[in-house]
């Protein structure tokens, strides 16, 4: 029987266990309003925070928004954009969208279905919705915060009322995001008559925050720096292991690690020499530790075009073709552009305002905390190439490979909750990760082995040559022998006349691939976004169309269902 005084009717169709759970749940709600003996006012409005994220930053902001709302006596809850239908959106009173932008102005992976539905002619009117949008992006890209701009405009077109103007944040998003959060919540609290007598315990996000971030990175010891690829390979892929020491950093397989790099002293010296400032130690330190000197900013490009209208850069820009400009800029750095400008180039003092802050580089973690306690591993391709009379190197990849020595390396965690091992240890897993895209899947396999997961695991891996580029071959062989890695399909593109890629292997095994999906498999993709990820998705749609025999639209809807169920997720860059 339900407890005396229960709100559950005596004839309710619940078992005794269900009634006990519901009674406890109701009691918990009542108790939540009486913390420390003080009453907590019921929320005057509920704020729905809808998140579009690729790397997890938008989720962090959303947590802050929800905590701030609850602290002000407002209700607050967060959800991924793809988890919300337009009909559900129309029933919401206050909506705050926090979204990043992916690729060439595209929606993040967990927002594409939402955007597709919102654009539809059948999308409902939203006159009852009050909203605001926060965009996270990088001004170095032409499509800066494009996803946020598109959603903001479409919500207005559908009749929603903007409660606060959209704010677009650059890479250092924390302060403008906090200002937007405070302003928009204060506006909503004022409009709804919220008393501000909220849940005091909600003034901080529910998830504890690490003290280590891009402003205060943890100074870790690089314990292992090992070449994975053969010295005869055209590529240089390395395995790194960082000692977590007393940092308290905890991570999950699938998360990313941010590395705070230093610029190469040789490049800094060449730049200062060109500017006639060699020997300026203060400027050298600034350029080495705080400024991006590898990739020219849009502001610098515009300034150089104005200064040197007869230069090659100005000529390319004058054509007005973005792809031509991208091609011309590819591989060139700040020093190249200054050389192109010749005598009209800016001085060091004039240049510094156009150099963007040096950013941390994020890499998919290639370890499992269960299998590798106290350390975190990365799998990184060192970027090195030559052009003309110069040699070029990637900022962070060669910093790790060549220049760390015994010095500590600044790191911090970048959680990625959407890209994680299934909670169900019996669920099958399909992983597609050529090249360094194998990184998170090494972590996944070690994680499932450590958990004793019974679910089958299938990996598609490839690169150029098996003899020189088969990274982690010994580990994968052992995982196969132990039964953890059930299926391993390899695609080495240049070991035969006809190039073979992971998508080739997917098509070859289309029947089995579809069968795994029908049996509940989770499918993960990691690697290059511009080509590989698109080719893999095209191959997947082809497999679905062929195996289901119901056409392209049905295949697309099947894939959309996998996305909604969080069974098709990507970590692409």
């Amino acid at each position: 029987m339900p407890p005396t005084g229960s709100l559950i009717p005596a004839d309710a169709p619940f078992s005794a266990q269900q009634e006990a759970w519901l009674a406890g749940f109701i009691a918990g709600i009542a108790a939540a309003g009486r913390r420390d003996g003080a009453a907590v006012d019921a929320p005057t409005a509920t704020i729905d925070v809808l998140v579009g994220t690729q790397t997890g930053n938008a989720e962090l902001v959303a947590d802050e928004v929800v905590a701030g709302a609850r602290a002000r006596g407002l209700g607050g809850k967060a959800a991924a954009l793809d988890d919300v239908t337009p009909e559900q959106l129309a029933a919401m009173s206050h909506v705050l969208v926090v979204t990043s932008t992916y690729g060439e102005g595209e929606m993040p992976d967990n927002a594409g279905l939402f955007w597709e539905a919102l654009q539809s002619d059948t999308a409902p009117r939203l006159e009852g919705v009050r909203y605001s949008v926060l965009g996270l992006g990088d001004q170095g890209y032409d499509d800066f915060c494009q996803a946020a701009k598109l959603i903001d405009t479409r919500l207005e077109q559908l009749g929603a009322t903007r409660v606060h103007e959209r704010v677009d944040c650059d890479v250092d998003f924390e302060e403008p995001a906090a200002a937007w959060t405070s302003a928009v919540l204060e506006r909503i609290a004022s409009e709804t008559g919220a008393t501000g007598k909220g849940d005091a315990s909600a003034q901080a996000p529910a998830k504890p925050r690490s003290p280590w971030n891009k402003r205060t990175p943890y100074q870790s010891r690089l314990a292992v720096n090992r070449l994975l690829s053969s010295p005869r390979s055209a590529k240089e892929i390395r395995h790194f292991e960082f000692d977590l020491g007393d940092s308290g950093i905890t991570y999950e397989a699938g998360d990313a690690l941010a590395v705070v790099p230093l610029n190469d002293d040789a490049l800094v010296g060449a730049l200062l020499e060109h500017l006639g400032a060699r020997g300026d130690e203060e400027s050298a330190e600034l350029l080495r530790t705080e400024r991006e000197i590898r990739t020219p900013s849009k502001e610098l490009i515009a300034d150089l075009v104005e200064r040197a209208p007869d230069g090659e850069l100005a000529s390319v820009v004058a054509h007005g073709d973005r792809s031509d400009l991208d091609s011309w800029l590819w591989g060139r750095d700040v020093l190249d552009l200054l050389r192109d400008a010749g005598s009209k180039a800016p001085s060091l003092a004039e240049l510094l305002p156009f150099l963007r802050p040096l950013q941390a580089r994020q890499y998919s973690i290639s370890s499992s905390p269960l299998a590798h306690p106290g350390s975190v591993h990365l799998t990184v391709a060192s970027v090195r190439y030559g052009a003309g009379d110069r040699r070029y190197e990637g900022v962070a990849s060669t910093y790790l490979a060549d220049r760390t020595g015994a010095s500590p390396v600044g790191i911090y965690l970048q959680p990625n909750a959407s890209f994680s091992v299934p909670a169900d240890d019996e669920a099958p897993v399909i992983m597609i990760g050529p090249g360094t895209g194998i990184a998170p899947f090494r972590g996944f396999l070690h994680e499932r082995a450590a958990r004793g997961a019974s679910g089958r695991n299938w990996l598609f891996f490839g690169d150029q040559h098996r003899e020189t580029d088969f990274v982690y071959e010994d580990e994968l062989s052992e995982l196969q022998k132990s039964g953890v890695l059930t299926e391993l399909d390899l695609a080495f593109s240049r070991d035969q006349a006809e190039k073979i890629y992971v998508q080739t292997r997917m098509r070859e095994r289309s029947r089995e691939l579809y069968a795994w999906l029908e049996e509940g498999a989770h499918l993960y993709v990691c690697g290059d976004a511009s080509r590989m990820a698109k080719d893999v998705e095209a191959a997947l749609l082809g497999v679905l169309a062929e195996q289901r025999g119901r056409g392209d639209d049905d295949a697309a809807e099947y894939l959309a269902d996998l996305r909604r169920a969080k069974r098709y997720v990507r970590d692409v860059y």
Side-chain angles (χ1 to χ4, degrees), residues 267-571:
L267 178 58
V268 170
L271 186 59
L272 289 175
E273 182 174 8
H274 181 81
L275 292 166
R278 178 173 283 280
D280 183 340
E281 295 301 326
E282 182 177 347
S283 296
E285 183 64 12
L286 176 69
L287 294 178
R288 190 174 77 93
T289 62
E290 297 184 27
R291 291 292 186 267
E292 178 64 67
I293 59 176
R294 184 68 187 82
T295 304
S297 68
K298 290 194 300 183
E299 294 79 9
L300 176 59
I301 291 170
D303 180 71
L304 291 174
V305 167
E306 184 176 344
R307 288 174 180 272
D310 298 328
E312 188 177 353
L313 172 61
S315 176
V316 175
V317 170
H319 291 160
D321 189 313
R322 175 176 162 181
S323 61
D324 283 351
L325 177 60
D326 288 343
S327 296
W328 189 87
L329 288 171
W330 190 91
R332 287 181 163 90
D333 60 14
V334 171
L335 179 56
D336 287 322
L337 268 61
L338 295 180
R339 286 180 172 179
D340 176 69
S343 61
K344 298 179 180 178
S347 65
L348 176 60
E350 293 169 328
L351 173 66
L352 288 176
F354 296 119
L355 299 180
R356 293 169 61 76
L358 181 61
Q359 295 297 315
R361 269 56 172 178
Q362 295 181 17
Y363 298 100
S364 301
I365 291 174
S366 57
S367 56
S368 157
L370 296 181
H372 311 99
S375 70
V376 61
H377 304 178
L378 298 182
T379 307
V380 180
S382 301
V383 177
R384 307 178 196 272
Y385 59 94
D389 62 343
R390 293 194 58 199
R391 295 290 301 172
Y392 299 86
E393 297 180 341
V395 176
S397 63
T398 59
Y399 166 66
L400 292 175
D402 304 339
R403 305 195 302 276
T404 56
S407 301
V409 179
I411 62 171
Y412 59 92
L413 187 67
Q414 186 68 53
N416 188 358
S418 63
F419 197 86
S420 57
V421 177
D424 180 2
D425 284 343
E426 296 181 359
V429 170
I430 302 168
M431 299 160 282
I432 304 170
T436 55
I438 195 175
F441 304 137
R442 176 182 182 263
F444 278 25
L445 290 168
H446 284 294
E447 175 84 6
R448 297 204 100 192
R451 278 163 46 169
S454 60
R456 296 171 295 160
N457 301 295
W458 186 353
L459 174 65
F460 290 85
F461 170 75
D463 212 312
Q464 293 184 356
H465 299 285
R466 179 171 185 143
E467 184 180 355
T468 58
D469 304 314
F470 193 176
V471 299
Y472 298 120
E473 179 178 7
D474 291 343
E475 283 190 28
L476 294 176
S477 296
E478 286 300 315
L479 288 165
Q480 277 189 293
K481 290 178 183 177
S482 67
V484 174
L485 182 53
T486 316
E487 300 284 346
L488 176 61
D489 275 82
L490 302 171
F492 294 100
S493 60
R494 301 185 185 180
D495 278 349
Q496 59 285 309
E498 180 182 357
K499 291 185 178 180
I500 294 176
Y501 301 104
V502 288
Q503 56 267 30
T504 311
R505 300 304 188 205
M506 291 169 62
R507 295 187 184 99
E508 290 173 351
R509 303 202 61 187
S510 59
R511 184 184 300 274
E512 297 97 324
L513 186 57
Y514 178 62
W516 278 51
L517 292 173
E518 283 290 277
E519 293 163 11
H522 293 238
L523 193 152
Y524 300 86
V525 179
C526 180
D528 170 56
S530 61
R531 296 185 60 182
M532 184 280 298
K534 293 178 181 178
D535 291 343
V536 164
E537 184 158 309
L540 181 57
L541 287 168
V543 166
L544 294 173
E546 174 193 333
Q547 294 300 312
R548 290 175 62 79
R550 301 175 190 174
D552 294 342
D553 289 345
D554 171 79
E557 185 56 35
Y558 187 97
L559 191 61
D561 286 341
L562 291 179
R563 286 188 190 274
R564 293 186 188 99
K566 307 298 188 291
R567 288 176 47 212
Y568 173 49
V569 293
R570 308 188 306 169
D571 178 12

Side-chain angles (χ1 to χ4, degrees), residues 222-260:
L222 182 57
V224 174
N225 174 357
R226 183 175 79 246
L227 182 65
L228 289 176
S229 53
S230 165
R232 294 178 288 107
S233 172
K235 300 182 178 182
E236 179 189 322
I237 300 178
R238 291 186 171 271
H239 174 86
F240 300 106
E241 297 183 12
F242 295 88
D243 185 352
L244 295 179
D246 60 355
S247 67
I249 292 175
T250 58
Y251 69 95
E252 296 182 6
D255 285 344
L257 188 75
V259 174
V260 181

Side-chain angles (χ1 to χ4, degrees), residues 169-187:
C169 304
D170 202 357
V171 287
D172 291 326
F173 63 87
E174 288 84 357
E175 289 186 8
W180 173 84
T181 298
S182 178
V184 74
L185 291 179
E186 290 300 328
R187 175 74 63 83

Side-chain angles (χ1 to χ4, degrees), residues 23-217:
F25 177 73
I26 293 170
I29 292 176
R34 298 190 299 273
R35 286 190 177 92
D36 300 324
V40 177
D41 291 344
T44 58
T46 295
I47 298 175
D48 287 277
V49 186
L50 307 184
V51 185
T53 185
Q54 198 72 28
T55 62
N57 283 332
E59 286 182 310
L60 296 177
V61 175
D63 285 348
E64 299 281 359
V65 176
V66 170
R70 292 175 178 173
R72 288 170 171 81
L74 298 162
K77 59 182 187 294
L81 281 162
D82 273 359
D83 290 341
V84 176
T85 66
E87 291 71 26
Q88 291 170 327
L89 179 66
M92 297 173 180
S93 63
H94 295 81
V95 173
L96 301 181
V97 177
V98 181
T99 184
S100 61
T101 298
Y102 149 74
E104 300 297 328
E106 301 167 32
M107 294 288 160
D109 274 5
N110 71 340
L113 297 175
F114 171 85
W115 176 239
E116 183 178 326
L118 200 66
Q119 291 183 90
S120 169
D121 292 339
T122 60
R125 298 293 298 172
L126 304 175
E127 270 80 6
V129 177
R130 295 182 65 75
Y131 79 97
S132 185
V133 177
L134 180 76
L136 305 184
D138 183 339
Q139 284 190 341
Y141 291 92
D142 289 337
D143 295 309
F144 172 59
C145 288
Q146 184 67 11
K149 295 172 183 176
L150 290 172
I151 291 174
D152 184 36
T153 300
R154 183 57 175 160
L155 291 176
E156 182 181 44
Q157 291 172 344
L158 291 172
T161 301
R162 195 178 286 107
V163 70
H164 190 281
E165 290 300 312
R166 186 190 74 250
V167 170
D168 298 329
C169 304
D170 202 357
V171 287
D172 291 326
F173 63 87
E174 288 84 357
E175 289 186 8
W180 173 84
T181 298
S182 178
V184 74
L185 291 179
E186 290 300 328
R187 175 74 63 83
I188 294 173
S190 174
E191 289 181 355
T192 60
T195 63
K197 193 177 182 181
D199 185 351
S201 68
Q203 292 182 13
K207 298 177 183 177
R209 292 294 170 81
S210 169
W212 313 115
N213 51 54
K214 61 184 175 183
R215 287 190 172 84
T216 58

